[in-house]
Amino acid sequence: MKLNAKSLLSLFLITWVVFSSVLFILNAHKYIGSNYFESSNFEMTKEDFKQQLGRYVLQPFDEKKAKESITVTQEEIDFHRNYYGTLSEQVANIREQYSDRILQADESGDAQLKEILIAERDAKIEDIKENFSDDKHVEEKIRKQKEQLIEKFAKEEKLAAKEFLNNYGYFSYNLVNVDTGEHFDSGNSNVTIFSEKYGNQKPYFTVNNYFYVGSDGNYDSVTLINQMEFNYETVQFEGSISIPKSMLNATQFGTEYKSFTVAKIIFYSIWATGILTIIALFTIAKPSFKNFNFSSRLKEWFLRVPIDVRIVIVLTSALFAYALIDSMSNLISNVTYYYNLTNYVVDVLFNFILLFISITIVVLGVVWIKECLSNAQKFKQEFKQAFLYRLADGIQDLFLNRSIGIQSVIIMVITFLSGIGFAGSMLDGGLLLVYVVLLFFIGLPALIIFLRRMGYLNLIMKQTKDMAEGRLTTPIKVKGKSPLANHAENLNHLREGVRKSLTEQAKSERLKTELITNVSHDLRTPLTSIITYTDLLKNPNLSEEERNKYIDVLDKKSARLKTLIEDLFEVSKMASGNIELNKQRIDLTQLMQQAVGEHEEAFRDANLDLRITKPDVPLYANVDGQKWWRVLDNLVVNALKYSLEGTRVYMTLTQKGMDAEFTVKNIAKYELGENVEELTERFKRADTSRHTDGSGLGLAIAQSIVDMHNGRLKIDVDGDLFKVTITVPVS
């Protein structure tokens, strides 16, 4: 029996069912019961329009207001004044710049040029002197620089506004400022095909723009101020945004709208015919096993291939078929983007033909494999003929319990016998034919194997020498499964271990240096203040108010110094293991509530929105309550100090399996580095500038306490998102 028309029809119907079913899985959620205005593409377009409408139309950047709000700090004045050095250094630099040019003008006899250069030099020197004598002179320069930045930014905003109107010209808007009554209307009131209203018992259209005005971020001779920030107040609007029906032919919008509509019709048609095809396969066109179990050269070739290779062919065909369907799904979804309908039809037909071939291979392959595995005897026979089985069996027979020395000896013996055979064939012509056959099928392969092994050994020896001399960058290439390959892999492990050891040693030395520097800095700062204010208190002419103020400063700095020293001793005790735990059955939910509750007011004062999630029932664990409270308190305080103002801080306590998990997530106030593992090192901070009052030991103490409880502390950083997760076994 051969492949006939009925078999081809069955394969076509099966292909169509698979095609329509996969398309349904991939696209049903996008098209069934929805229109273009409910699609994710339009939703993103609409939100982008609203955001840009608020920035460029409803609440644009106010250049005049920005200039009026310019401030110049003493720090900026000092920075501008001393940017090129001290007064004497700057004057000397100007004189040096002009000395050669004045000398050349003098030597050439050009008195006028010499006079101009001297006047230019003297003017610059006078300007520098005025910089160091008059703050207002410097302030005026900085103010002008900031005004130039604002003017440049305002021009860029106007250009962006024009681009926005060009890109979203198919949208209309009619909005009124709730507070001022100011009206914004695009002027297009035609019949709409989409409209979204705001206000009147619906959410308002809210705008709260933030403008960052800055240079390229680098200080230079022209721009010494690199940033200004303008955060506008929240403004609410009522009204509507819409799309007029006349805009159906707008370039971008019309194409997307038409593409969605046409694609929806095509998908519905394919799914409807798919349902009819399924009905046909179970009724009038019901296929049978015999339809596909025909004899052909293709089947004979397929059955000669090992069973595991056959399975790979079938799976690869199935994956290829899925990729083709996914590709055709994209073709259908973007049907109107094709400028040439003929090319579109050709692409679809070509993909469908490939899909038909792939599905045919899968169906026939499954049927024929099933036939081969119809009984235990056939299964055993196919298994023994499998490629992987023969490969594993061959490797085991060839390399098992054989060292590289024995293999090399065998190859050398074969090569030696080949030489003897060559000499014998020269003496007896009848042996020549036998020798040639043995030479090409045994001698030369053995020689090639020997040379490759010796070459590989030389490569290993060379790279081992490089490793001994400290060049650890390039690993030894591992070839095959031979003893030499095992040796190369072991050398790679050794190289990696040495490299890691050197890296850890360098890291340890760096952290040790940072530790000494930071400890000295953090202890010296309050100590210096204590000494300074103590000297001030010795003045007998101090008023009572000043004396009390100095005593208050001494009290704070003493407490700060005490906290630093206590934290340092605590970390040292934990590191040495000289600390005991008093474990009890503690309700972690209540402990978390207490730790967070002590700082809720501080979070409100810091303009941070604290979001807490905890179990409704107690969650118990065997921990040292006092020390575990210290862990939670350190994490809460850490979030309080280093969270960006106006953001949310999430604290969550949940049970996952046999562990309790406490998570703190916040947006960092300062830029975080890449080595997040080092944040748990002593005196390591995310605030590298050390603007905060923390000891730098909070996470180190938390890490030590968690380790003593057989828990885990994990830090994740994604951009400015900082996340700390601690887990401990529940009781």
Side-chain angles (χ1 to χ4, degrees), residues 370-387:
K370 181 180 178 182
E371 179 188 357
C372 296
L373 304 178
S374 57
N375 57 60
Q377 184 177 357
K378 285 186 177 181
F379 177 80
K380 186 175 180 181
Q381 183 180 356
E382 291 285 351
F383 180 75
K384 288 185 177 180
Q385 293 298 321
F387 177 79

Side-chain angles (χ1 to χ4, degrees), residues 201-228:
Q201 298 182 350
K202 293 183 179 180
Y204 287 104
F205 190 111
T206 304
V207 180
N208 183 11
N209 284 334
Y210 165 82
F211 297 98
Y212 170 83
V213 181
S215 65
D216 57 4
N218 298 319
Y219 291 109
D220 53 43
S221 60
V222 178
T223 304
L224 302 180
I225 310 302
N226 74 338
Q227 68 174 14
M228 288 175 285

Side-chain angles (χ1 to χ4, degrees), residues 170-360:
Y170 51 86
F171 270 99
S172 296
Y173 55 88
N174 187 349
L175 297 167
V176 178
N177 189 314
V178 175
D179 296 327
T180 65
E182 186 178 2
H183 189 210
F184 297 87
D185 190 353
S186 61
N188 195 336
S189 58
N190 294 334
V191 178
T192 63
I193 57 173
F194 167 79
S195 179
E196 186 170 276
K197 296 183 179 180
Y198 307 95
N200 192 17
Q201 298 182 350
K202 293 183 179 180
Y204 287 104
F205 190 111
T206 304
V207 180
N208 183 11
N209 284 334
Y210 165 82
F211 297 98
Y212 170 83
V213 181
S215 65
D216 57 4
N218 298 319
Y219 291 109
D220 53 43
S221 60
V222 178
T223 304
L224 302 180
I225 310 302
N226 74 338
Q227 68 174 14
M228 288 175 285
E229 298 177 357
F230 302 94
N231 195 359
Y232 287 12
E233 295 181 355
T234 301
V235 181
Q236 293 181 327
F237 296 84
E238 58 183 5
S240 65
I241 63 171
S242 59
I243 298 178
K245 195 172 183 179
S246 59
M247 289 296 170
L248 273 177
N249 295 323
T251 304
Q252 179 185 355
F253 168 73
T255 303
E256 291 182 357
Y257 182 85
K258 183 179 179 181
S259 182
F260 183 91
T261 305
V262 174
K264 184 175 182 179
I265 295 172
I266 295 175
F267 281 124
Y268 272 47
S269 302
I270 293 173
W271 295 334
T273 55
I275 294 173
L276 295 176
T277 305
I278 293 174
I279 296 173
L281 282 174
F282 282 94
T283 54
I284 58 176
K286 185 177 182 181
S288 64
F289 180 79
K290 294 180 180 180
N291 292 131
F292 310 121
N293 192 22
F294 53 85
S295 299
S296 68
R297 291 184 180 180
L298 177 64
K299 182 178 179 181
E300 292 175 1
W301 174 86
F302 187 77
L303 294 180
R304 283 199 298 266
V305 176
I307 184 68
D308 46 355
V309 177
R310 281 179 255 164
I311 293 173
V312 170
I313 292 174
V314 171
L315 292 176
T316 303
S317 299
L319 291 174
F320 184 64
Y322 176 83
L324 287 170
I325 296 174
D326 186 55
S327 175
M328 283 191 283
S329 173
N330 291 329
L331 284 174
I332 296 171
S333 298
N334 300 287
V335 57
T336 59
Y337 288 94
Y338 267 75
Y339 296 100
N340 191 315
L341 183 60
T342 302
N343 292 341
Y344 178 79
V345 174
V346 169
D347 287 345
V348 172
L349 287 177
F350 179 74
N351 279 277
F352 191 81
I353 291 171
L354 292 178
L355 176 64
F356 176 76
I357 296 172
S358 301
I359 297 297
T360 299

Side-chain angles (χ1 to χ4, degrees), residues 299-573:
K299 182 178 179 181
E300 292 175 1
W301 174 86
F302 187 77
L303 294 180
R304 283 199 298 266
V305 176
I307 184 68
D308 46 355
V309 177
R310 281 179 255 164
I311 293 173
V312 170
I313 292 174
V314 171
L315 292 176
T316 303
S317 299
L319 291 174
F320 184 64
Y322 176 83
L324 287 170
I325 296 174
D326 186 55
S327 175
M328 283 191 283
S329 173
N330 291 329
L331 284 174
I332 296 171
S333 298
N334 300 287
V335 57
T336 59
Y337 288 94
Y338 267 75
Y339 296 100
N340 191 315
L341 183 60
T342 302
N343 292 341
Y344 178 79
V345 174
V346 169
D347 287 345
V348 172
L349 287 177
F350 179 74
N351 279 277
F352 191 81
I353 291 171
L354 292 178
L355 176 64
F356 176 76
I357 296 172
S358 301
I359 297 297
T360 299
I361 294 173
V362 173
V363 173
L364 297 181
V366 170
V367 172
W368 293 342
I369 290 174
K370 181 180 178 182
E371 179 188 357
C372 296
L373 304 178
S374 57
N375 57 60
Q377 184 177 357
K378 285 186 177 181
F379 177 80
K380 186 175 180 181
Q381 183 180 356
E382 291 285 351
F383 180 75
K384 288 185 177 180
Q385 293 298 321
F387 177 79
L388 292 177
Y389 179 86
R390 287 187 292 174
L391 179 63
D393 187 57
I395 292 175
Q396 182 178 5
D397 292 342
L398 186 59
F399 293 104
L400 187 61
N401 295 326
R402 283 177 172 82
S403 66
I404 190 171
I406 297 175
Q407 295 176 29
S408 299
V409 169
I410 292 175
I411 294 173
M412 290 176 65
V413 169
I414 293 174
T415 305
F416 179 75
L417 293 178
S418 297
I420 295 177
F422 176 77
S425 66
M426 294 296 102
L427 297 175
D428 187 352
L431 297 176
L432 181 60
L433 180 61
V434 177
Y435 170 76
V436 169
V437 173
L438 293 176
L439 176 65
F440 280 94
F441 288 92
I442 297 178
L444 290 180
L447 180 62
I448 292 172
I449 292 174
F450 172 75
L451 293 176
R452 290 181 62 184
R453 291 287 172 83
M454 292 303 101
Y456 190 32
L457 179 60
N458 285 334
L459 177 63
I460 293 175
M461 292 174 64
K462 179 181 180 301
Q463 291 187 293
T464 303
K465 181 180 178 182
D466 292 343
M467 290 171 56
E469 293 174 353
R471 295 189 287 273
L472 305 173
T473 56
T474 306
I476 301 174
K477 188 175 182 180
V478 178
K479 300 180 180 179
K481 299 287 184 179
S482 66
L484 283 177
N486 292 334
H487 181 59
E489 188 172 2
N490 291 333
L491 287 174
N492 284 336
H493 291 323
L494 178 61
R495 180 192 67 86
E496 186 65 20
V498 173
R499 189 184 65 80
K500 287 183 178 179
S501 177
L502 292 175
T503 302
E504 290 297 322
Q505 183 178 358
K507 177 182 175 183
S508 176
E509 291 296 326
R510 177 172 58 82
L511 291 176
K512 186 186 299 182
T513 302
E514 289 183 6
L515 176 63
I516 295 172
T517 302
N518 292 334
V519 168
S520 302
H521 175 273
D522 284 357
L523 292 178
R524 185 172 63 247
T525 300
L527 186 59
T528 302
S529 298
I530 291 173
I531 294 171
T532 301
Y533 282 94
T534 301
D535 291 336
L536 291 174
L537 284 172
K538 294 177 181 179
N539 184 358
N541 298 323
L542 283 177
S543 65
E544 190 65 21
E545 181 180 355
E546 289 176 328
R547 189 178 303 277
N548 292 333
K549 181 179 178 182
Y550 293 163
I551 292 173
D552 183 61
V553 172
L554 285 172
D555 182 65
K556 290 180 180 178
K557 297 300 180 180
S558 300
R560 164 78 175 142
L561 188 60
K562 178 183 176 184
T563 300
L564 286 171
I565 294 173
E566 287 178 350
D567 285 351
L568 184 59
F569 279 133
E570 186 168 357
V571 169
S572 301
K573 287 169 62 180

Side-chain angles (χ1 to χ4, degrees), residues 695-730:
S695 65
L697 297 169
L699 288 178
I701 292 173
Q703 176 76 72
S704 300
I705 295 175
V706 170
D707 290 342
M708 288 189 296
H709 285 84
N710 297 322
R712 296 185 303 278
L713 187 148
K714 181 183 178 184
I715 297 177
D716 296 301
V717 173
D718 186 5
D720 291 332
L721 176 63
F722 184 78
K723 177 182 177 183
V724 182
T725 304
I726 58 173
T727 58
V728 65
V730 297

